[in-house]
């Protein structure tokens, strides 16, 4: 699937259209933006993997507290360094697009929030999640007891099997009832 | 996977269900990993190789053809979807606003765009079916009395001030009701203009109703109906509060702050038990606040009534200053500006939870606008009745004058012909419909002016002052008072909804009003998106737009119904003017339908209608329909509840 041309061929374009939730314009726009992230020498090969630091300079991801997690989740590199190829990039845009189903979105949201990649959201994951959400400044962080109270409330609400962690089905159960999830879990170039 | 392939290749007979499943499997594979490239390729070539193998024997060619057509159809649908997305106007602009301010501010612009689309359709209907035929096939300006400026107004007819008041040439043009002739058919195509006018008027309401209800139903589907609100309060705050569209660091900082505040608030809320405050004091304060606000509402209603009465007195005087001429519109717009902040400050006495306080505030603003509009209408109807009396007098006078003329003519023995009076000199009736149309147009125009000036002064000028005076001012203008303005979503949405209500009310009497509104919405989109990006800051408390969408649609529906009432009342009960408009000469406006049925349809249709139009038949039929639909919808709601309960039980049973 990695082509060596710098322009998308028609077959590739229609293949991508079939495999992702993106429209033709969105794929072409993604192609343009991805090319801008490539260093000049490798502009002609689309096999190149853009390192994570470059990806994080994109304006859509710059202010996102989960940007590193997003890169790790969508990256397919063996080195697990968060670098994205063009297809990873399309994958990422497809999940965050308007037409993706809520099930896909909640699945990937779970993977993004799972900081230690163990398949469940345990206490440490939730603590890291809260710290991401409250920003980096020390005055906005929650105190230790507020944090404990918060985590306790969350586990009480969502942990149905009472094992102290939130697994994928419990997560999806909570998310499916939320009216705002689909509209906020969206990134458009 | 390899094994399966071999099996398939060996066997000649292929089970088509299985192949169908395989041919779709590549779609499902990508769901969880786009990365299994090789699998997709293999699947695709495999499917292509064996697709033709289905339908062995006689159906083969036809089946291959069917498959090819389905593929082409899917491709066509996809291309059409791409085209449709490219056609949506202002998409980039709205996305830019969304990334800076979040989805709630962007929802206002999406609503504005939707309104623009609906108004465009109404404009097309009105212009295509009423105005264009009149221009092309109707009598030209100056040919009959209703189309000509009266002699005594002719010197001032072209002045800017007269035109700005929609008098002079503007009054006697296609923009208003009075210009249209009551000829049953016009031009060589025999276009029935009065019928078209009436049907377009009714069709405007019908189309708007359809579109609003459709959108409401679509919105209700997406949010999945109203579930329990507070079930997963904390979880939702954690997992869904971040708006991924935010691309601006300032907005992101605000969002962090608001998320932290909301966490802390929820934690405190959860810990705090019901405070045993002084309940009596709180109740007393709430009653006091409501009384104050009711006084405010009553006062504003009375003020409008008083001002409209005064304007009627002014109409008889000459030499009016600009203020006297526009007093009504200015007062109404000012009330709309001043009262909402006033209500908000009074509401501080009530000490409600912010979400509940917002609902009360919206309800009160709604009541204010509604009261103002209806008072204005009542005062207008008073004026209309007055004009009707005047008309009686003029009719008598004209009749007497005509009789005299004919008497003279027969005495002199010449032919009896209609008196050769120039159309500009004929004695006119007061034409109340055009007056009503003019009032609505003036109200809309002044509303537009006030809105735009408010944005210019309240947002832009304020931003300029804060930015530049900050260098030489004692306290920090940006952090303290007045700082930059936030975009007032609910105020703007309500303003839009009420503007639309006024258009609906006035469109029957002023066909040009819809065109004016289309222009207004178009410029609003550009003007407001510029103003938001240049002078507003993101909200401190970012609140969700999702559930409010149906709330605003519900308001729009209510306003539609309320604007329908006055129009229907005037059509049914008030007699049209005798010398202007497409229904002149008829005892009631809806008679045009009866006339059409009598003259244009075969005889038995007329009889059928006269039987079917019997109220004794219609009322029971409508009541039965309502009862039936109510019962069906109740049954659906019940089954919905049952299914929800079942799902919940199954979910919890699993553990």
């Amino acid at each position: 699937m990695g082509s060596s041309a710098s322009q998308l061929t028609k077959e590739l374009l229609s293949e991508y259209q079939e495999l992702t939730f993106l429209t033709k314009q969105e794929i072409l726009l993604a192609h343009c933006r991805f090319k801008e992230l490539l260093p000049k020498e490798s502009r002609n090969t689309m096999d190149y993997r853009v390192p994570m630091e470059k990806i994080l300079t994109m304006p859509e991801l710059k202010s996102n507290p989960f940007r590193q997690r997003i890169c790790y989740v969508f990256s397919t590199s063996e080195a697990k360094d968060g670098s994205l190829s063009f297809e990873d990039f399309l994958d990422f845009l497809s999940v965050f697009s308007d037409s993706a189903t809520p099930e896909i979105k909640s699945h990937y949201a779970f993977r993004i929030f799972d900081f230690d990649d163990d398949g469940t959201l345990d206490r440490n994951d939730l603590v890291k999640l809260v710290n991401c959400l409250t920003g980096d400044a020390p005055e906005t962080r929650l105190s230790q007891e507020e944090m404990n109270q918060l985590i306790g409330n969350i586990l009480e609400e969502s942990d149905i099997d009472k094992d102290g962690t939130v697994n994928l089905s419990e997560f999806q159960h909570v998310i499916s009832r939320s009216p705002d999830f689909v509209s906020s879990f969206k990134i458009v170039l | 996977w390899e094994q399966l392939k071999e099996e398939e290749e060996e066997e000649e007979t292929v089970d088509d269900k299985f192949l169908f499943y395989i041919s779709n499997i590549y779609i499902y594979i990508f769901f969880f990993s786009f990365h299994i490239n090789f699998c997709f390729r293999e699947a695709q070539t495999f499917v292509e190789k064996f697709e033709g193998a289905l339908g062995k024997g006689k159906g083969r060619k036809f089946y291959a053809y069917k498959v090819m057509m389905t593929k082409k159809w899917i491709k066509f649908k996809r291309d059409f979807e791409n085209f449709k997305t490219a056609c949506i106007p202002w998409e980039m602009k709205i996305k830019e606003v969304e990334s800076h301010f979040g989805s709630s501010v962007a929802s206002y612009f999406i609503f504005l765009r939707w309104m623009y689309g609906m108004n465009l359709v109404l404009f097309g209907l009105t212009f295509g079916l009423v105005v264009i035929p009149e221009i092309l096939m109707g009598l030209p300006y100056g040919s009959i009395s209703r189309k000509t400026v009266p002699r005594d107004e002719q010197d001032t007819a072209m002045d800017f001030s007269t035109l700005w008041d929609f008098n002079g040439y503007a009054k006697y043009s296609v923009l208003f009701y009075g210009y249209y002739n009551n000829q049953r058919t016009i031009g060589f195509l025999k276009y029935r203009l009065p019928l078209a006018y009436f049907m377009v008027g009714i069709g405007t309401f019908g189309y708007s109703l359809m579109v609003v209800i459709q959108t409401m139903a679509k919105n209700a589907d997406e949010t999945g109906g109203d579930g329990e609100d507070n079930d997963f309060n904390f979880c939702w705050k954690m997992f869904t509060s971040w708006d991924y569209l935010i691309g601006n660091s300032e907005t992101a900082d605000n969002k962090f702050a608001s998320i932290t505040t909301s966490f802390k608030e929820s934690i405190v809320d959860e810990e705090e038990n019901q405070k045993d405050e002084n309940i009596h004091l709180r109740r007393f304060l709430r009653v006091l606040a409501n009384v104050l606000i009711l006084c405010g509402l009553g006062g504003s209603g009375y003020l409008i009534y008083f001002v409209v009465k005064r304007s009627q007195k002014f109409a008889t005087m000459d030499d009016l200053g600009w203020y006297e001429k526009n007093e009504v519109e200015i007062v109404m717009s000012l009330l709309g500006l001043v009262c909402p902040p006033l209500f908000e400050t009074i509401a501080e006495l009530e000490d409600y939870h912010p979400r509940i306080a917002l609902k009360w505030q919206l309800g009160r603003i709604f009541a204010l606008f509604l009261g103002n509009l209806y008072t204005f209408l009542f005062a207008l109807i008073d004026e209309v009745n007055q004009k009707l009396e005047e008309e009686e007098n003029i009719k008598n006078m004209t009749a007497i004058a005509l009789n005299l003329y004919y008497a003279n003519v027969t005495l002199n023995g010449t032919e009896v012909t209609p008196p050769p009076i120039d159309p500009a000199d004929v004695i006119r009736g007061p034409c109340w419909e055009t007056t009503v149309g003019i009032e609505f147009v003036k109200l809309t125009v002044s509303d537009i002016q006030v809105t735009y000036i408010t944005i210019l002064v309240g947002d832009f000028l304020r931003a300029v002052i804060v930015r530049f005076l900050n260098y030489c001012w004692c306290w920090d203008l940006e952090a303290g008072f007045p700082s930059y303005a936030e975009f007032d979503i609910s105020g703007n949405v309500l303003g839009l909804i009420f503007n639309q209500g006024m258009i609906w009310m006035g469109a029957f009497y002023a066909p040009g009003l819809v065109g004016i509104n289309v222009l207004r919405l178009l410029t609003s989109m550009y003007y407001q998106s510029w103003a938001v990006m240049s002078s507003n800051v993101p909200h401190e408390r970012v609140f969700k737009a999702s559930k409010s969408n149906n709330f605003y649609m519900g308001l729009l529906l209510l306003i539609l119904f309320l604007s329908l009432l006055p129009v229907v009342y005037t059509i049914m009960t008030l007699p049209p003017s005798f010398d202007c408009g497409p229904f002149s000469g008829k005892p009631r406006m809806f008679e045009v339908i009866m006339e059409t049925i009598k003259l244009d349809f075969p005889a038995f249709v007329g009889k059928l209608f006269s039987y079917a139009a019997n109220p004794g038949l219609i009322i029971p039929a409508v009541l039965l329909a309502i009862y039936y639909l109510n019962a069906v919808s109740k049954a659906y709601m019940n089954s919905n509840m049952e299914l929800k309960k079942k799902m919940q039980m199954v979910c919890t049973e699993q553990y």
Side-chain angles (χ1 to χ4, degrees):
Chain A
M1 262 202 204
S3 87
S4 56
S6 68
Q7 287 300 112
L8 280 183
T9 60
K10 262 179 93 172
E11 298 87 50
L12 263 187
L13 195 56
S14 66
E15 237 176 60
Y16 289 151
Q17 272 192 303
E18 283 196 43
L19 285 178
T20 66
F21 292 108
L22 301 171
T23 64
K24 192 164 80 158
Q25 292 96 330
E26 288 169 347
I27 297 179
L28 289 171
L29 182 59
H31 184 79
C32 272
R33 295 291 299 274
F34 193 75
K35 270 211 296 198
E36 284 166 22
L37 293 174
L38 294 174
K40 286 220 168 54
E41 321 82 56
S42 356
R43 286 260 161 104
N44 280 329
T45 66
M46 295 302 287
D47 279 347
Y48 190 76
R49 288 190 166 281
V50 177
M52 189 165 74
E53 300 72 36
K54 242 11 222 352
I55 302 271
L56 295 184
T57 60
M58 282 179 58
E60 290 84 1
L61 284 180
K62 220 172 30 175
S63 330
N64 197 318
F66 302 110
R67 49 190 182 270
Q68 274 137 346
R69 279 302 301 159
I70 290 177
C71 286
Y72 281 123
V73 164
F74 286 99
S75 160
T76 52
S77 78
E78 281 98 32
K80 302 267 179 255
D81 59 359
S83 57
L84 296 183
S85 68
F86 181 58
E87 274 144 22
D88 298 337
F89 189 62
L90 278 187
D91 212 5
F92 151 65
L93 287 175
S94 163
V95 168
F96 277 95
S97 79
D98 242 333
S99 4
T101 62
E103 291 77 33
I104 286 272
K105 285 187 191 261
S106 56
H107 176 89
Y108 274 95
F110 184 78
R111 283 179 63 187
I112 291 176
F113 293 152
D114 188 8
F115 283 83
D116 50 12
D117 274 328
D118 62 354
T120 59
L121 299 181
D122 57 10
R123 210 179 176 87
N124 297 331
D125 290 328
L126 293 176
V127 169
K128 285 212 200 96
L129 181 58
V130 172
N131 283 333
C132 268
L133 280 176
T134 52
D136 290 328
E139 57 263 11
T140 53
R141 291 205 162 201
L142 296 185
S143 71
Q144 191 55 33
E145 16 175 283
E146 285 172 335
M147 182 72 79
N148 288 336
Q149 174 87 19
L150 185 59
I151 306 280
N153 285 331
I154 290 173
L155 286 176
E156 200 182 298
E157 280 175 0
S158 56
D159 191 9
I160 303 181
D161 56 1
K162 304 289 173 221
D163 62 354
T165 64
V166 182
N167 62 23
L168 179 59
S169 345
E170 290 160 354
F171 181 77
Q172 282 185 320
H173 179 235
V174 170
I175 292 297
S176 64
R177 305 292 215 72
S178 160
D180 309 310
F181 177 64
V182 176
S183 53
S184 65
F185 202 72
K186 200 163 59 156
I187 294 182
V188 185
L189 286 181
Chain B
W1 179 242
E2 306 286 288
Q3 255 186 331
L4 272 157
K5 230 176 63 171
E6 279 166 7
E7 270 177 43
E8 294 307 307
E9 276 175 322
E10 278 171 12
E11 288 178 13
E12 278 270 300
T13 52
V14 182
D15 187 17
D16 41 349
K17 243 199 213 166
F18 185 68
L19 196 60
F20 174 75
Y21 179 71
I22 293 276
S23 74
N24 283 312
I25 216 171
Y26 68 83
I27 298 180
Y28 292 101
I29 284 179
F30 108 87
F31 258 20
F32 291 104
S33 195
F34 187 11
H35 318 299
I36 309 186
N37 317 348
F38 68 93
C39 220
F40 166 66
R41 265 278 146 69
E42 298 268 302
Q44 204 174 34
T45 43
F46 177 71
V47 163
E48 273 166 13
K49 207 159 104 184
F50 285 100
E51 234 163 0
L54 277 179
K56 302 214 71 174
K58 46 186 175 164
R60 194 171 178 161
K61 275 209 182 120
F62 176 67
Y63 183 79
Y65 173 75
K66 217 167 54 162
V67 162
M68 188 191 72
M69 288 314 285
T70 327
K71 270 207 210 158
K72 282 215 189 310
W73 176 245
I74 294 180
K75 183 166 186 314
F76 171 73
K77 271 205 298 197
R78 207 172 50 218
D79 285 338
F80 187 62
E81 284 295 323
N82 283 346
F83 173 69
K84 268 206 305 192
T85 337
C87 270
I88 300 178
W90 305 310
E91 190 71 5
M92 279 298 116
K93 202 180 279 289
I94 294 185
K95 290 238 154 54
E96 214 187 318
V97 171
E98 208 167 9
S99 85
H100 276 257
F101 292 92
S103 52
S104 46
V105 170
S107 73
Y108 165 74
F109 286 98
I110 295 179
F111 188 58
L112 181 60
R113 185 174 62 187
W114 180 86
M115 286 282 231
Y116 174 71
M118 181 175 79
N119 274 290
L120 211 55
V121 173
L122 293 180
F123 172 73
L125 267 180
T126 320
F127 260 56
L129 294 178
V130 172
V131 177
I132 303 285
E134 175 68 27
I135 295 180
L136 291 179
M137 300 190 286
L139 298 169
Y141 171 83
S143 51
I144 48 176
S145 65
R146 67 185 64 176
K147 300 201 182 205
T148 345
V149 179
R151 181 75 63 188
D152 41 352
E153 289 177 26
Q154 269 185 357
D155 339 319
T156 57
M158 208 43 188
D159 289 353
F160 181 72
S161 58
T162 345
L163 284 181
W164 188 251
D165 275 340
F166 294 98
N167 268 323
Y169 284 119
K171 180 168 169 186
Y172 296 93
S173 71
V174 275
L175 285 180
F176 293 106
Y177 174 98
Y179 183 79
Y180 296 86
N181 198 5
N182 68 339
Q183 250 180 310
R184 206 173 78 86
T185 65
I186 52 175
F188 63 94
L189 284 173
K190 300 244 180 292
Y191 188 78
R192 286 149 175 67
L193 189 68
L195 182 68
Y197 194 97
F198 189 77
M199 295 307 279
V200 162
I202 303 292
T204 308
F205 286 106
Y207 173 75
S208 314
L209 186 68
M210 229 176 51
V211 151
V212 171
I213 292 192
Q214 243 180 14
T215 318
M216 275 183 86
K218 221 181 348 163
N219 280 348
D221 270 349
E222 280 172 5
T223 59
D226 253 8
E228 300 87 44
D229 221 4
N230 290 319
D231 244 11
F232 298 112
N233 208 357
F234 283 101
C235 285
W236 287 347
K237 279 202 169 59
M238 274 268 280
F239 299 132
T240 65
S241 55
W242 182 258
D243 194 351
Y244 285 70
L245 279 166
I246 294 179
N248 182 347
S249 54
E250 201 183 314
T251 324
D253 287 337
N254 269 347
K255 190 75 168 144
F256 286 139
S258 90
I259 290 179
T260 317
T261 331
S262 106
F263 275 150
K264 292 198 175 157
E265 268 179 11
S266 307
I267 295 176
V268 165
D269 252 357
E270 184 86 359
E271 284 177 347
E272 215 179 78
N273 292 323
Q274 291 271 342
K275 262 204 213 148
D276 256 353
E277 259 188 35
N278 203 339
I279 294 197
H280 298 289
L281 180 65
R282 199 187 269 193
R283 276 205 199 126
F284 170 71
L285 282 176
R286 283 186 186 167
V287 167
L288 180 65
N290 277 318
V291 163
L292 281 174
I293 289 183
L294 277 173
C295 288
L297 286 174
S300 83
Y302 177 70
L303 187 61
I304 293 185
Y305 191 77
F306 173 71
V307 160
V308 174
K309 282 282 177 240
R310 222 156 71 130
S311 83
Q312 285 169 4
K313 244 191 316 166
F314 283 152
T316 54
M317 302 187 329
D318 285 327
D319 253 359
L320 298 172
W322 169 84
Y323 174 72
E324 279 90 1
K325 279 198 275 203
N326 294 310
E327 195 180 22
V328 179
E329 287 79 23
I330 293 179
V331 165
M332 279 188 76
S333 313
L334 275 182
L335 278 177
L337 268 182
V338 161
C339 286
L342 185 65
F343 289 168
E344 240 180 290
T345 28
I346 296 183
E348 309 238 330
L349 279 177
E350 290 184 330
D351 198 24
Y352 276 125
H353 187 280
R355 216 184 310 145
I356 303 183
L358 183 67
K359 285 214 166 96
W360 274 95
Q361 174 72 358
L362 284 175
R364 285 177 185 139
I365 299 183
F366 185 74
L368 172 76
F369 279 152
L370 205 61
N372 290 353
L373 206 55
Y374 262 67
T375 326
F376 175 73
L377 269 177
F378 284 135
L380 213 57
I381 295 213
D382 263 357
E383 205 177 318
V384 167
N385 284 330
Q386 246 186 13
K387 287 224 148 69
L388 281 174
E389 283 172 9
E390 224 181 284
E391 195 177 301
E392 281 299 313
N393 293 342
I394 294 192
K395 253 204 284 201
N396 292 338
M397 270 177 27
T398 346
I400 294 175
L402 258 174
N403 283 340
L404 257 156
Y405 173 78
Y406 282 134
N408 269 342
V409 160
T410 43
L411 268 178
N412 289 347
T414 47
E415 297 263 325
V416 182
T417 52
I421 312 182
D422 186 85
D425 292 325
V426 173
I427 309 173
R428 312 290 184 81
C431 202
W432 60 269
E433 295 98 342
T434 309
T435 319
V436 170
I438 293 181
E439 283 299 312
F440 273 110
V441 171
K442 283 206 308 198
L443 193 62
T444 310
V445 167
S446 87
D447 186 55
I448 296 174
Q449 285 170 334
V450 168
T451 317
Y452 284 13
I453 294 182
T454 319
I455 293 181
L456 198 62
V457 169
D459 284 356
F460 183 65
L461 226 59
R462 178 168 157 182
V464 163
I465 290 179
V466 167
R467 171 72 64 94
F468 291 115
L469 272 189
N470 209 11
Y471 296 123
C472 47
W473 204 260
C474 0
W475 71 85
D476 188 0
L477 283 174
E478 283 185 2
F481 178 84
S483 79
Y484 297 105
E486 288 179 353
F487 187 76
D488 178 18
I489 303 176
S490 43
N492 272 302
V493 172
L494 279 181
L496 206 57
I497 293 179
F498 275 98
N499 171 62
Q500 190 61 36
M502 288 195 287
I503 303 295
W504 276 325
M505 273 198 244
F508 189 75
Y509 297 108
L513 190 56
V514 190
I516 296 179
N517 198 38
V518 164
L519 277 176
R520 173 239 171 93
L521 288 175
L522 190 61
T523 45
S524 262
M525 177 56 104
Y526 290 107
Y527 184 58
Q528 282 192 301
S529 56
W530 165 78
V532 149
M533 296 296 282
S534 68
S535 10
N536 283 20
V537 285
H539 285 218
E540 276 180 13
R541 310 198 54 163
V542 192
F543 71 91
K544 314 204 189 273
S546 51
K547 276 210 172 141
S548 344
N549 261 343
N550 246 7
F551 175 64
Y552 292 129
M553 281 293 162
L555 274 184
L556 196 60
L557 194 63
L558 188 61
I559 293 281
L560 173 60
F561 180 64
L562 291 172
S563 359
L564 181 62
L565 287 180
V567 178
V568 167
Y569 172 75
T570 48
I571 291 180
M572 290 301 191
T573 53
L574 293 180
S577 303
F578 76 100
D579 68 342
C580 67
F583 309 115
S584 60
K586 300 195 174 44
R588 291 276 182 273
M589 291 192 198
F590 58 84
E591 301 268 328
V592 70
I593 304 261
M594 328 287 217
E595 199 189 19
T596 318
I597 295 180
K598 210 165 46 172
L599 298 175
D600 289 328
F601 285 101
F604 71 94
V605 176
K607 260 204 195 152
L608 204 66
F609 263 101
S610 67
Y611 289 147
N614 192 350
L617 189 66
I618 292 186
I619 293 186
V622 169
L623 283 178
L624 268 176
I626 293 180
Y627 180 71
Y628 170 72
L629 287 172
N630 197 17
V632 164
S633 93
K634 274 217 181 82
Y636 279 143
M637 274 202 293
N638 274 338
S639 74
N640 225 1
M641 280 280 108
E642 292 293 316
L643 283 171
K644 271 194 192 157
K645 276 196 228 160
K646 262 198 190 159
M647 279 202 306
Q648 264 190 339
M649 272 195 336
V650 168
C651 258
T652 49
E653 257 175 27
Q654 267 181 1
Y655 299 102

